[in-house]
Amino acid sequence: MDEFYMKMALDLAKKGKGFTAPNPLVGAVIVKNGKVIGQGYHEEFGQAHAEVNAIASASECVSGATLYVTLEPCSHVGKTPPCSDLVVDKKIRRVVIGMGDPNPLVAGKGIERLRNKGILVSIGVLEKEIAQLNEAFIKYIVTKEPFVVMKSAMSLDGKIATVTGESQWISDAAARKRVHNLRHELSGIMVGIDTIIKDDPQLTARIPNGKNPIRIVVDSQLRIPLASVVLSQQDKAKTIVATTNRASSEKIATLTKMGIEVIVTSQRDNRVDLRELMKKLGAKGIDSILLEGGATLNFSALKEGIVDKVHVYLSPKIIGGKDAKTIVEGEGISSLENAFQLKRLNPVMVGEDILIEGYLDK
Protein backbone atom coordinates (compact mmCIF):
# COMPACT_ATOMS: atom_id res chain seq x y z
CA MET A 1 0.00 0.00 0.00
CA ASP A 2 2.93 2.35 0.56
CA GLU A 3 3.81 2.17 -3.14
CA PHE A 4 0.15 2.66 -4.11
CA TYR A 5 -0.19 5.90 -2.16
CA MET A 6 3.29 7.08 -3.13
CA LYS A 7 2.31 6.66 -6.78
CA MET A 8 -0.63 8.98 -6.10
CA ALA A 9 1.75 11.51 -4.58
CA LEU A 10 4.11 11.16 -7.55
CA ASP A 11 1.29 11.84 -10.01
CA LEU A 12 0.32 14.93 -8.01
CA ALA A 13 3.93 16.16 -8.08
CA LYS A 14 3.93 16.08 -11.89
CA LYS A 15 1.18 18.72 -11.96
CA GLY A 16 3.75 21.32 -10.91
CA LYS A 17 5.95 20.84 -14.00
CA GLY A 18 7.19 24.17 -15.30
CA PHE A 19 6.11 26.22 -12.30
CA THR A 20 8.24 25.23 -9.28
CA ALA A 21 11.84 25.75 -10.47
CA PRO A 22 14.33 26.03 -8.91
CA ASN A 23 12.34 24.14 -6.27
CA PRO A 24 11.60 20.42 -6.72
CA LEU A 25 8.37 18.78 -7.85
CA VAL A 26 6.70 17.37 -4.73
CA GLY A 27 3.37 15.67 -4.09
CA ALA A 28 1.72 14.59 -0.83
CA VAL A 29 -1.18 12.34 0.18
CA ILE A 30 -2.67 11.91 3.67
CA VAL A 31 -4.29 8.58 4.59
CA LYS A 32 -6.30 7.81 7.71
CA ASN A 33 -8.07 4.54 8.49
CA GLY A 34 -7.44 3.31 4.96
CA LYS A 35 -8.98 6.40 3.35
CA VAL A 36 -7.37 9.32 1.51
CA ILE A 37 -8.36 12.45 3.42
CA GLY A 38 -5.97 15.02 1.91
CA GLN A 39 -3.94 15.65 -1.23
CA GLY A 40 -1.66 18.43 -2.41
CA TYR A 41 1.38 19.34 -4.43
CA HIS A 42 3.88 22.18 -4.70
CA GLU A 43 2.10 24.34 -7.26
CA GLU A 44 4.44 27.25 -7.81
CA PHE A 45 7.80 28.58 -6.63
CA GLY A 46 7.41 30.70 -3.50
CA GLN A 47 4.01 29.24 -2.64
CA ALA A 48 2.98 26.59 -0.13
CA HIS A 49 4.72 23.23 -0.20
CA ALA A 50 2.97 19.95 -0.92
CA GLU A 51 2.59 18.95 2.73
CA VAL A 52 0.95 22.27 3.59
CA ASN A 53 -1.52 21.99 0.72
CA ALA A 54 -2.36 18.39 1.57
CA ILE A 55 -3.03 19.22 5.23
CA ALA A 56 -5.10 22.27 4.24
CA SER A 57 -7.24 20.11 1.94
CA ALA A 58 -7.91 17.41 4.57
CA SER A 59 -11.54 16.42 4.97
CA GLU A 60 -11.02 15.53 8.64
CA CYS A 61 -8.45 15.91 11.42
CA VAL A 62 -5.05 14.59 10.33
CA SER A 63 -3.99 13.59 13.85
CA GLY A 64 -2.88 9.96 13.79
CA ALA A 65 -2.81 9.81 9.99
CA THR A 66 -0.03 8.72 7.61
CA LEU A 67 1.55 11.28 5.30
CA TYR A 68 2.99 10.12 1.98
CA VAL A 69 5.35 12.70 0.48
CA THR A 70 7.69 12.29 -2.47
CA LEU A 71 10.56 14.32 -0.96
CA GLU A 72 11.85 14.69 2.59
CA PRO A 73 9.94 17.49 4.38
CA CYS A 74 12.05 20.62 4.68
CA SER A 75 13.53 21.53 8.05
CA HIS A 76 14.71 25.06 7.33
CA VAL A 77 13.08 28.44 6.85
CA GLY A 78 13.01 29.56 3.22
CA LYS A 79 10.17 31.33 1.49
CA THR A 80 7.87 29.22 3.70
CA PRO A 81 8.18 27.79 7.26
CA PRO A 82 9.63 24.28 7.79
CA CYS A 83 7.16 21.58 6.74
CA SER A 84 8.59 19.16 9.32
CA ASP A 85 7.38 21.47 12.11
CA LEU A 86 3.86 21.51 10.66
CA VAL A 87 3.80 17.71 10.47
CA VAL A 88 4.77 17.52 14.14
CA ASP A 89 2.25 20.17 15.19
CA LYS A 90 -0.59 18.34 13.42
CA LYS A 91 0.28 15.10 15.26
CA ILE A 92 0.68 12.99 12.13
CA ARG A 93 1.62 9.47 13.29
CA ARG A 94 3.69 8.19 10.35
CA VAL A 95 5.50 9.76 7.41
CA VAL A 96 6.45 7.76 4.30
CA ILE A 97 9.09 9.58 2.21
CA GLY A 98 9.93 8.78 -1.39
CA MET A 99 13.50 10.09 -1.27
CA GLY A 100 15.69 12.16 1.00
CA ASP A 101 16.60 15.77 0.37
CA PRO A 102 19.53 15.74 -2.12
CA ASN A 103 20.88 19.02 -0.78
CA PRO A 104 24.03 17.94 1.10
CA LEU A 105 23.63 20.87 3.50
CA VAL A 106 20.21 19.80 4.77
CA ALA A 107 19.83 16.11 3.79
CA GLY A 108 18.40 14.01 6.60
CA LYS A 109 17.63 16.89 8.96
CA GLY A 110 13.91 16.79 8.24
CA ILE A 111 13.83 13.04 8.87
CA GLU A 112 15.85 13.46 12.06
CA ARG A 113 13.47 16.12 13.36
CA LEU A 114 10.44 13.92 12.73
CA ARG A 115 11.97 10.87 14.39
CA ASN A 116 13.09 12.91 17.39
CA LYS A 117 9.45 13.84 17.90
CA GLY A 118 8.38 10.20 17.92
CA ILE A 119 6.98 10.07 14.40
CA LEU A 120 7.44 6.81 12.51
CA VAL A 121 9.40 7.45 9.32
CA SER A 122 9.89 5.18 6.28
CA ILE A 123 12.05 6.25 3.36
CA GLY A 124 12.91 5.01 -0.13
CA VAL A 125 9.51 4.27 -1.70
CA LEU A 126 9.56 4.72 -5.51
CA GLU A 127 12.86 6.53 -5.04
CA LYS A 128 14.12 5.85 -8.58
CA GLU A 129 10.98 7.28 -10.22
CA ILE A 130 10.99 10.33 -7.96
CA ALA A 131 14.67 11.00 -8.59
CA GLN A 132 14.09 10.91 -12.35
CA LEU A 133 11.19 13.34 -12.05
CA ASN A 134 13.46 15.73 -10.15
CA GLU A 135 16.69 15.10 -12.07
CA ALA A 136 17.09 18.80 -12.91
CA PHE A 137 16.57 19.85 -9.30
CA ILE A 138 18.99 17.22 -8.01
CA LYS A 139 21.82 18.34 -10.28
CA TYR A 140 21.15 22.01 -9.61
CA ILE A 141 20.93 21.74 -5.82
CA VAL A 142 24.23 19.84 -5.70
CA THR A 143 26.27 21.70 -8.36
CA LYS A 144 24.41 25.03 -8.75
CA GLU A 145 24.56 24.48 -12.52
CA PRO A 146 21.64 23.79 -14.86
CA PHE A 147 20.63 20.36 -16.09
CA VAL A 148 21.03 20.45 -19.89
CA VAL A 149 18.89 18.46 -22.34
CA MET A 150 20.17 18.45 -25.91
CA LYS A 151 17.24 18.02 -28.31
CA SER A 152 17.42 17.34 -32.06
CA ALA A 153 15.28 15.82 -34.78
CA MET A 154 16.79 13.96 -37.70
CA SER A 155 15.92 11.72 -40.63
CA LEU A 156 16.78 8.04 -40.76
CA ASP A 157 20.03 8.94 -42.49
CA GLY A 158 20.97 11.46 -39.83
CA LYS A 159 20.06 14.74 -41.57
CA ILE A 160 18.46 17.75 -39.88
CA ALA A 161 17.82 19.63 -43.14
CA THR A 162 18.02 19.21 -46.89
CA VAL A 163 20.98 20.46 -48.93
CA THR A 164 19.03 23.70 -49.49
CA GLY A 165 18.60 24.19 -45.74
CA GLU A 166 14.91 23.25 -45.52
CA SER A 167 14.20 21.79 -42.10
CA GLN A 168 10.50 22.36 -41.39
CA TRP A 169 9.45 19.85 -40.52
CA ILE A 170 11.70 16.85 -39.93
CA SER A 171 9.55 15.58 -37.04
CA ASP A 172 5.75 15.32 -37.04
CA ALA A 173 3.12 17.27 -35.09
CA ALA A 174 3.10 14.93 -32.07
CA ALA A 175 6.85 15.32 -31.60
CA ARG A 176 6.65 19.10 -31.92
CA LYS A 177 3.89 19.23 -29.31
CA ARG A 178 6.05 17.20 -26.94
CA VAL A 179 8.96 19.58 -27.48
CA HIS A 180 6.78 22.58 -26.66
CA ASN A 181 5.76 20.86 -23.42
CA LEU A 182 9.45 20.37 -22.63
CA ARG A 183 10.08 24.06 -23.28
CA HIS A 184 7.38 24.79 -20.71
CA GLU A 185 8.90 22.41 -18.17
CA LEU A 186 12.51 23.63 -18.35
CA SER A 187 13.76 27.03 -17.20
CA GLY A 188 15.76 28.05 -20.28
CA ILE A 189 16.17 27.35 -23.96
CA MET A 190 19.56 27.85 -25.62
CA VAL A 191 20.48 28.24 -29.29
CA GLY A 192 23.45 29.47 -31.28
CA ILE A 193 23.55 32.70 -33.23
CA ASP A 194 23.37 30.90 -36.60
CA THR A 195 19.92 29.59 -35.65
CA ILE A 196 18.76 33.13 -34.87
CA ILE A 197 20.14 34.55 -38.12
CA LYS A 198 18.78 31.71 -40.29
CA ASP A 199 15.36 31.02 -38.71
CA ASP A 200 14.57 34.05 -36.48
CA PRO A 201 12.64 31.77 -34.07
CA GLN A 202 10.38 32.77 -31.18
CA LEU A 203 11.71 30.04 -28.84
CA THR A 204 8.49 29.99 -26.83
CA ALA A 205 6.26 27.21 -25.48
CA ARG A 206 3.19 27.39 -27.62
CA ILE A 207 0.83 25.39 -25.44
CA PRO A 208 -2.25 26.54 -23.45
CA ASN A 209 -1.22 28.16 -20.16
CA GLY A 210 2.40 27.32 -20.91
CA LYS A 211 5.35 29.07 -19.29
CA ASN A 212 7.92 30.38 -21.71
CA PRO A 213 11.56 29.55 -20.96
CA ILE A 214 14.26 32.19 -20.67
CA ARG A 215 15.85 32.46 -24.11
CA ILE A 216 19.65 32.16 -24.19
CA VAL A 217 21.53 33.03 -27.39
CA VAL A 218 25.18 32.00 -27.65
CA ASP A 219 26.80 34.68 -29.84
CA SER A 220 30.59 34.92 -29.51
CA GLN A 221 30.97 38.05 -31.67
CA LEU A 222 27.56 39.60 -30.98
CA ARG A 223 26.26 39.28 -34.54
CA ILE A 224 22.63 39.14 -33.44
CA PRO A 225 20.33 41.33 -35.60
CA LEU A 226 18.62 43.99 -33.50
CA ALA A 227 15.32 43.22 -35.24
CA SER A 228 15.39 39.56 -34.14
CA VAL A 229 12.16 38.24 -32.64
CA VAL A 230 13.92 37.18 -29.45
CA LEU A 231 15.00 40.79 -28.93
CA SER A 232 11.83 42.56 -30.00
CA GLN A 233 9.34 40.35 -28.14
CA GLN A 234 10.53 40.73 -24.57
CA ASP A 235 6.91 40.74 -23.40
CA LYS A 236 6.74 37.01 -24.22
CA ALA A 237 9.97 35.87 -22.59
CA LYS A 238 13.25 37.23 -21.26
CA THR A 239 16.31 36.94 -23.51
CA ILE A 240 19.93 36.60 -22.41
CA VAL A 241 22.74 36.97 -24.94
CA ALA A 242 26.02 35.24 -24.07
CA THR A 243 29.12 36.63 -25.74
CA THR A 244 32.87 37.12 -25.27
CA ASN A 245 35.25 40.05 -24.94
CA ARG A 246 35.51 40.02 -28.75
CA ALA A 247 32.07 41.64 -28.86
CA SER A 248 31.54 45.31 -29.62
CA SER A 249 31.11 47.35 -26.46
CA GLU A 250 28.79 49.66 -28.40
CA LYS A 251 26.48 46.78 -29.30
CA ILE A 252 26.52 45.53 -25.72
CA ALA A 253 25.38 49.00 -24.66
CA THR A 254 22.66 49.02 -27.32
CA LEU A 255 21.32 45.64 -26.25
CA THR A 256 21.39 46.68 -22.61
CA LYS A 257 19.32 49.77 -23.41
CA MET A 258 16.82 47.49 -25.14
CA GLY A 259 16.43 45.56 -21.88
CA ILE A 260 18.49 42.58 -23.00
CA GLU A 261 20.83 41.03 -20.46
CA VAL A 262 24.31 40.40 -21.87
CA ILE A 263 26.64 37.88 -20.23
CA VAL A 264 30.33 38.13 -21.15
CA THR A 265 32.45 35.02 -20.67
CA SER A 266 36.04 34.08 -21.30
CA GLN A 267 36.92 32.58 -24.67
CA ARG A 268 37.38 28.87 -25.20
CA ASP A 269 38.49 27.94 -28.71
CA ASN A 270 37.50 31.49 -29.77
CA ARG A 271 33.93 30.82 -28.60
CA VAL A 272 31.83 31.44 -25.52
CA ASP A 273 33.15 29.39 -22.61
CA LEU A 274 30.13 27.16 -22.06
CA ARG A 275 31.32 25.88 -18.69
CA GLU A 276 31.66 29.41 -17.39
CA LEU A 277 28.29 30.27 -18.90
CA MET A 278 26.61 27.40 -17.03
CA LYS A 279 27.98 28.69 -13.74
CA LYS A 280 26.70 32.19 -14.47
CA LEU A 281 23.27 30.96 -15.55
CA GLY A 282 23.04 28.74 -12.47
CA ALA A 283 23.80 31.76 -10.28
CA LYS A 284 20.69 33.38 -11.79
CA GLY A 285 18.49 30.49 -10.68
CA ILE A 286 18.26 28.81 -14.09
CA ASP A 287 18.18 25.15 -13.09
CA SER A 288 17.54 23.53 -16.48
CA ILE A 289 18.13 24.25 -20.15
CA LEU A 290 16.77 22.82 -23.39
CA LEU A 291 19.60 22.99 -25.90
CA GLU A 292 18.13 23.40 -29.38
CA GLY A 293 21.39 24.58 -30.87
CA GLY A 294 22.71 23.94 -34.32
CA ALA A 295 25.27 21.28 -35.16
CA THR A 296 28.28 23.42 -34.16
CA LEU A 297 26.90 24.44 -30.76
CA ASN A 298 25.80 20.86 -30.11
CA PHE A 299 29.36 19.60 -30.61
CA SER A 300 30.81 22.34 -28.39
CA ALA A 301 28.30 21.51 -25.66
CA LEU A 302 29.15 17.81 -25.82
CA LYS A 303 32.88 18.52 -25.92
CA GLU A 304 32.73 20.83 -22.90
CA GLY A 305 30.69 18.28 -20.95
CA ILE A 306 27.68 20.45 -20.18
CA VAL A 307 25.09 18.07 -21.69
CA ASP A 308 23.35 15.72 -19.24
CA LYS A 309 20.58 14.19 -21.34
CA VAL A 310 19.86 13.77 -25.04
CA HIS A 311 16.50 13.72 -26.85
CA VAL A 312 16.74 12.71 -30.50
CA TYR A 313 13.61 12.35 -32.63
CA LEU A 314 14.16 9.90 -35.45
CA SER A 315 11.83 10.58 -38.37
CA PRO A 316 10.90 7.92 -40.97
CA LYS A 317 12.35 10.01 -43.80
CA ILE A 318 15.49 9.65 -45.91
CA ILE A 319 16.95 12.94 -47.13
CA GLY A 320 20.45 12.25 -48.44
CA GLY A 321 23.04 14.78 -49.60
CA LYS A 322 26.67 14.77 -48.53
CA ASP A 323 26.43 18.47 -47.66
CA ALA A 324 23.15 18.22 -45.75
CA LYS A 325 23.48 19.16 -42.07
CA THR A 326 23.65 16.59 -39.28
CA ILE A 327 22.82 17.06 -35.59
CA VAL A 328 26.45 17.27 -34.45
CA GLU A 329 29.30 18.70 -36.52
CA GLY A 330 32.21 20.88 -35.39
CA GLU A 331 35.63 19.27 -35.63
CA GLY A 332 34.28 15.91 -34.42
CA ILE A 333 36.27 13.20 -32.65
CA SER A 334 39.22 11.38 -34.17
CA SER A 335 38.82 8.00 -32.45
CA LEU A 336 35.76 5.90 -31.66
CA GLU A 337 37.04 5.32 -28.14
CA ASN A 338 36.49 9.05 -27.55
CA ALA A 339 32.91 9.05 -28.86
CA PHE A 340 30.26 10.61 -26.63
CA GLN A 341 28.60 7.56 -25.08
CA LEU A 342 24.96 7.41 -24.00
CA LYS A 343 23.57 5.14 -21.30
CA ARG A 344 20.11 4.31 -19.89
CA LEU A 345 18.54 4.52 -23.34
CA ASN A 346 14.76 4.72 -23.59
CA PRO A 347 13.13 4.58 -27.05
CA VAL A 348 9.53 5.85 -27.20
CA MET A 349 7.12 6.12 -30.13
CA VAL A 350 5.84 9.70 -30.52
CA GLY A 351 3.40 9.83 -33.42
CA GLU A 352 5.31 8.55 -36.45
CA ASP A 353 8.69 9.35 -34.88
CA ILE A 354 10.90 7.46 -32.45
CA LEU A 355 12.16 9.49 -29.51
CA ILE A 356 15.46 8.16 -28.19
CA GLU A 357 16.27 9.41 -24.71
CA GLY A 358 19.63 8.80 -23.12
CA TYR A 359 22.08 10.19 -20.58
CA LEU A 360 25.67 11.20 -21.26
CA ASP A 361 28.18 8.82 -19.74
CA LYS A 362 30.35 11.25 -17.77
Side-chain angles (χ1 to χ4, degrees), residues 9 12-13 20 24-30 38-44 47-57 67-71 73-74 80 83 86-87:
L12 285 166
T20 66
L25 296 162
V26 184
V29 173
I30 302 173
Q39 301 181 60
Y41 66 98
H42 185 32
E43 299 177 12
E44 190 171 341
Q47 294 189 6
H49 289 185
E51 302 93 319
V52 176
N53 288 332
I55 290 171
S57 77
L67 168 67
Y68 292 86
V69 61
T70 56
L71 193 69
C74 62
T80 60
C83 291
L86 179 65
V87 171

Side-chain angles (χ1 to χ4, degrees), residues 215-219 222 224 231 239-243 255 260-264:
R215 301 175 292 201
I216 304 152
V217 180
V218 179
D219 184 4
L222 219 53
I224 189 167
L231 299 184
T239 296
I240 296 173
V241 178
T243 190
L255 290 172
I260 307 299
E261 182 174 358
V262 179
I263 295 178
V264 179

Side-chain angles (χ1 to χ4, degrees), residues 134-145:
N134 280 303
E135 57 192 6
F137 167 75
I138 292 171
K139 179 188 177 183
Y140 180 74
I141 201 66
V142 173
T143 68
K144 297 303 180 186
E145 294 182 14

Side-chain angles (χ1 to χ4, degrees), residues 139 146-150 278 288-289 291 306-310:
K139 179 188 177 183
F147 184 87
V148 178
V149 180
M150 189 184 89
M278 292 304 105
S288 53
I289 293 173
L291 174 60
I306 69 166
V307 178
D308 298 288
K309 191 175 185 178
V310 172

Side-chain angles (χ1 to χ4, degrees), residues 217-233:
V217 180
V218 179
D219 184 4
S220 301
Q221 300 181 57
L222 219 53
R223 296 184 290 131
I224 189 167
L226 296 180
S228 300
V229 169
V230 295
L231 299 184
S232 62
Q233 295 185 357

Side-chain angles (χ1 to χ4, degrees), residues 75-76 101-109 141-142 144:
S75 58
H76 61 286
D101 191 328
N103 187 342
L105 298 177
V106 298
K109 292 183 179 179
I141 201 66
V142 173
K144 297 303 180 186

Side-chain angles (χ1 to χ4, degrees), residues 22-333:
N23 281 354
L25 296 162
V26 184
V29 173
I30 302 173
V31 179
K32 189 174 184 178
N33 299 323
K35 182 179 70 173
V36 175
I37 64 169
Q39 301 181 60
Y41 66 98
H42 185 32
E43 299 177 12
E44 190 171 341
F45 176 72
Q47 294 189 6
H49 289 185
E51 302 93 319
V52 176
N53 288 332
I55 290 171
S57 77
S59 58
E60 60 181 271
C61 177
V62 300
S63 176
T66 296
L67 168 67
Y68 292 86
V69 61
T70 56
L71 193 69
E72 177 183 351
C74 62
S75 58
H76 61 286
V77 176
K79 288 186 176 293
T80 60
C83 291
S84 54
D85 286 354
L86 179 65
V87 171
V88 171
D89 292 343
K90 294 297 182 179
K91 295 181 171 56
I92 287 175
R93 182 182 66 86
R94 179 178 180 236
V95 177
V96 181
I97 298 168
M99 67 172 289
D101 191 328
N103 187 342
L105 298 177
V106 298
K109 292 183 179 179
I111 295 171
E112 182 182 11
R113 181 173 297 191
L114 295 175
R115 285 176 170 161
N116 287 342
K117 295 295 182 178
I119 295 174
L120 300 174
V121 178
S122 301
I123 187 169
V125 180
L126 299 186
E127 184 172 9
K128 180 180 177 181
E129 293 86 343
I130 293 165
Q132 183 167 6
L133 177 66
N134 280 303
E135 57 192 6
F137 167 75
I138 292 171
K139 179 188 177 183
Y140 180 74
I141 201 66
V142 173
T143 68
K144 297 303 180 186
E145 294 182 14
F147 184 87
V148 178
V149 180
M150 189 184 89
K151 170 263 166 185
S152 291
M154 69 180 185
S155 63
L156 283 177
D157 55 338
K159 307 298 184 181
I160 63 173
T162 67
V163 291
T164 62
E166 182 183 349
S167 60
Q168 296 183 343
W169 297 102
I170 297 291
S171 55
D172 72 7
R176 297 196 296 275
K177 180 179 179 181
R178 188 172 180 132
V179 170
H180 280 287
N181 275 289
L182 192 57
R183 288 182 178 185
H184 157 75
E185 294 169 13
L186 302 183
S187 297
I189 181 169
M190 188 165 76
V191 300
I193 184 57
D194 289 339
T195 297
I196 298 296
I197 292 173
K198 177 180 176 292
D199 299 330
D200 196 21
Q202 296 182 54
L203 303 180
T204 53
R206 293 186 284 282
I207 58 174
N209 302 313
K211 174 191 66 63
N212 288 327
I214 295 173
R215 301 175 292 201
I216 304 152
V217 180
V218 179
D219 184 4
S220 301
Q221 300 181 57
L222 219 53
R223 296 184 290 131
I224 189 167
L226 296 180
S228 300
V229 169
V230 295
L231 299 184
S232 62
Q233 295 185 357
Q234 288 297 291
D235 57 320
K236 290 189 175 182
K238 178 180 178 179
T239 296
I240 296 173
V241 178
T243 190
T244 68
N245 53 15
R246 297 163 64 194
S248 161
S249 57
E250 290 80 6
K251 193 160 185 179
I252 291 177
T254 299
L255 290 172
T256 302
K257 288 180 182 177
M258 293 173 63
I260 307 299
E261 182 174 358
V262 179
I263 295 178
V264 179
T265 75
S266 308
Q267 294 185 52
R268 184 183 290 269
D269 298 328
N270 295 319
R271 301 180 186 277
V272 168
D273 186 327
L274 295 178
R275 295 180 192 172
E276 182 181 336
L277 178 60
M278 292 304 105
K279 294 183 185 300
K280 291 187 174 183
L281 293 175
K284 296 180 180 299
I286 298 175
D287 72 335
S288 53
I289 293 173
L290 180 61
L291 174 60
E292 291 200 46
T296 301
L297 180 58
N298 284 345
F299 178 77
S300 295
L302 290 166
K303 180 182 177 183
E304 299 307 322
I306 69 166
V307 178
D308 298 288
K309 191 175 185 178
V310 172
H311 280 195
V312 175
Y313 290 88
L314 190 60
S315 171
K317 299 179 177 74
I318 296 176
I319 293 174
K322 65 181 181 63
D323 294 324
K325 289 280 189 180
T326 61
I327 65 173
V328 178
E329 294 183 352
E331 66 263 31
I333 54 104

